Amino acid sequence: MNALSPSPAKDRAAKAAPAPPLALLAELTHRCPLQCPYCSNPVELERSGAELDTATWKRVLTEAAELGILQVHFSGGEPTVRKDLAELIRHAAKLGCYTNLITSGVLLDAARLKELYDAGLDHVQLSFQDTDIESAERIGNFAGAQARKLEVARLIREADLPLTVNAVVHRHNLGRLEEMIQLALDLGAERLEVAHVQYYGWALKNRAALLPTREQLDRATEVVTAARERLKGRLMIDYVVPDYYAKRPKSCMGGWGRQFLNVSPAGKVLPCHAAESITGLEFDRVQDHPLGEIWRNSAAFQAYRGTDWMPETCRTCDRREIDWGGCRCQAFALTGKADAVDPACGLSPFHDEIFALAEREAGAAPPPFVYRRIGGA
């Protein structure tokens, strides 16, 4: 069956055309000089030879704008390894899209940043692995990364580009969260994203090494709450908690196939960056179908769009159109069924088991990292 042809069970969902997505995550490449053990890329990384060429990416961007997308987030891997990045940013800017670069920063210098700025770049999200140099470089497995990041942050602000600092937090760096907040202030960032690791893909391989204790999480939440109040009007702080300690699931990506789409380096169109972890779903490619057609009609997008797919526990819940059933990738990773109740929900029969697992793994000595590498561990 063609993936764009809904099965009879999906006919009703197909009749209601979805609203246009708000944003496109353009995953230009899986290549990256860092090897972070919590990377959101799939474990089976695409090699450079499989990446979409410049002309195809420009067509995708044009189709995204025609679909109604307002924001394009250029990501990877590390998107700056692509020599055509400025050309792609220029194309998106000419289409009227807001352009955001999500980067480790380690390959940027003043000349390259100016090229991207002149092309129409609107915003930069710069990742930091830690404030402690030794820890940061151990997490990313890249010597000299911290000094490069600090220099790039300075260049970004000198270019008068808005800056977001991305801080992925876990048991190895949560004790320095206050220092991370201060670093964002010192760098002149307008926004800080404090995101606890979400456990699928590479992070699932490293769960036992990364999971914080409940005490660490509670302390981090206290720190963020106090900082938000203290720094109101100076620094916006987004905070994403780890699902393993939650009582209710988050609205993952605003709901499956509702607000967001991702195009992978090889051209697969996904409802979220981790969707390929769900085996059994066939994802259409931009080489074979227009982006808008995939968004509206793809069986993979319709599979968990809306509420008809939900198990009874979710379908009768008064939060069904708030959290949209939570995370399908997490449900699959932890239960083997993508249509199961998200175990982050207290109503899931797996919730207590997952909570106990988190406490057990977080309370044990962390094993060595399994670093993100082409070809796997």
Side-chain angles (χ1 to χ4, degrees):
M1 179 181 293
N2 188 308
L4 277 170
S5 301
S7 65
K10 306 301 179 186
D11 282 346
R12 181 167 44 165
K15 291 177 183 177
L22 299 176
L24 165 68
L25 181 67
E27 257 186 327
L28 302 180
T29 181
H30 283 161
R31 290 175 286 158
C32 184
L34 273 65
Q35 298 178 341
C36 302
Y38 50 72
C39 181
S40 62
N41 287 159
V43 173
E44 294 298 325
L45 299 168
E46 297 286 358
R47 297 182 182 273
S48 60
E51 293 173 10
L52 299 180
D53 61 21
T54 306
T56 304
W57 269 117
K58 290 171 77 170
R59 175 176 60 78
V60 169
L61 293 170
T62 298
E63 292 177 1
E66 291 172 347
L67 184 56
I69 283 173
L70 303 175
Q71 303 174 5
V72 178
H73 304 278
F74 292 97
S75 180
E78 174 48 57
T80 59
V81 305
R82 292 275 304 218
K83 295 179 180 179
D84 58 356
L85 178 58
E87 184 175 353
L88 298 178
I89 289 173
R90 184 176 296 106
H91 188 74
K94 286 181 178 178
L95 292 167
C97 295
Y98 184 88
T99 59
N100 176 40
L101 175 64
I102 304 172
T103 180
S104 68
V106 297
L107 301 181
L108 283 171
D109 57 21
R112 188 78 191 283
L113 188 63
K114 183 179 186 303
E115 178 189 30
L116 302 179
Y117 177 84
D118 290 344
L121 182 63
D122 291 308
H123 182 269
V124 180
Q125 288 181 237
L126 181 64
S127 65
F128 280 86
Q129 280 64 45
D130 204 335
T131 55
D132 178 81
I133 294 175
E134 182 178 353
S135 174
E137 296 184 354
R138 182 177 69 89
I139 293 166
N141 202 27
F142 188 90
Q146 194 78 345
R148 296 191 190 190
K149 289 171 179 285
L150 293 171
E151 172 63 11
V152 167
R154 183 186 67 79
L155 293 172
I156 291 167
R157 299 308 293 128
E158 284 185 356
D160 203 28
L161 274 166
L163 171 64
T164 290
V165 168
N166 284 358
V168 179
V169 294
H170 43 82
R171 72 155 77 182
H172 296 271
N173 60 12
L174 266 178
R176 288 178 289 277
L177 181 53
E178 289 172 308
E179 294 176 23
M180 186 65 77
I181 294 170
Q182 186 59 49
L183 175 64
L185 285 170
D186 294 343
L187 295 178
E190 288 89 354
R191 177 172 163 264
L192 169 65
E193 182 176 300
V194 178
H196 284 266
V197 170
Q198 305 299 303
Y199 294 96
Y200 27 71
W202 288 95
L204 187 59
K205 277 181 171 286
N206 287 283
R207 184 178 63 196
L210 296 168
L211 263 171
T213 64
R214 184 58 188 257
E215 291 73 24
Q216 281 183 303
L217 170 62
D218 290 345
R219 173 56 183 157
T221 302
E222 291 173 3
V223 168
V224 169
T225 301
R228 280 174 163 170
E229 182 63 28
R230 184 177 75 253
L231 301 173
K232 189 179 298 182
R234 293 179 60 196
L235 180 68
M236 179 185 298
I237 303 178
D238 290 338
Y239 186 52
V240 181
V241 301
D243 286 339
Y244 281 51
Y245 293 117
K247 288 293 185 182
R248 290 291 181 268
K250 62 181 179 293
S251 176
C252 189
M253 314 309 297
W256 180 280
R258 294 191 67 251
Q259 297 182 353
F260 174 92
L261 59 77
N262 172 41
V263 177
S264 79
K268 292 181 183 179
V269 184
L270 312 170
C272 78
H273 54 272
E276 285 186 272
S277 65
I278 302 176
T279 58
L281 282 180
E282 181 182 348
F283 297 101
D284 292 293
R285 304 192 315 158
V286 296
Q287 298 94 317
D288 303 323
H289 305 282
L291 192 64
E293 186 179 347
I294 296 172
W295 171 255
R296 290 185 292 270
N297 300 321
S298 168
F301 275 77
Q302 291 177 22
Y304 307 113
R305 181 181 269 157
T307 60
D308 287 349
W309 64 270
M310 291 180 176
E312 185 63 23
T313 302
C314 299
R315 194 180 303 155
T316 57
C317 179
D318 59 5
R319 291 179 55 86
R320 64 188 177 278
E321 294 188 1
I322 297 173
D323 59 39
W324 299 99
C327 179
R328 297 302 90 218
C329 301
Q330 183 161 262
F332 183 79
L334 297 179
T335 74
K337 295 179 62 179
D339 60 355
V341 179
D342 186 340
C345 181
L347 300 176
S348 166
F350 293 94
H351 180 79
D352 291 345
E353 177 185 338
I354 296 305
F355 191 95
L357 181 148
E359 290 193 318
R360 186 168 63 250
E361 289 190 344
F369 291 144
V370 178
Y371 286 110
R372 169 205 189 275
R373 292 187 174 98
I374 294 284

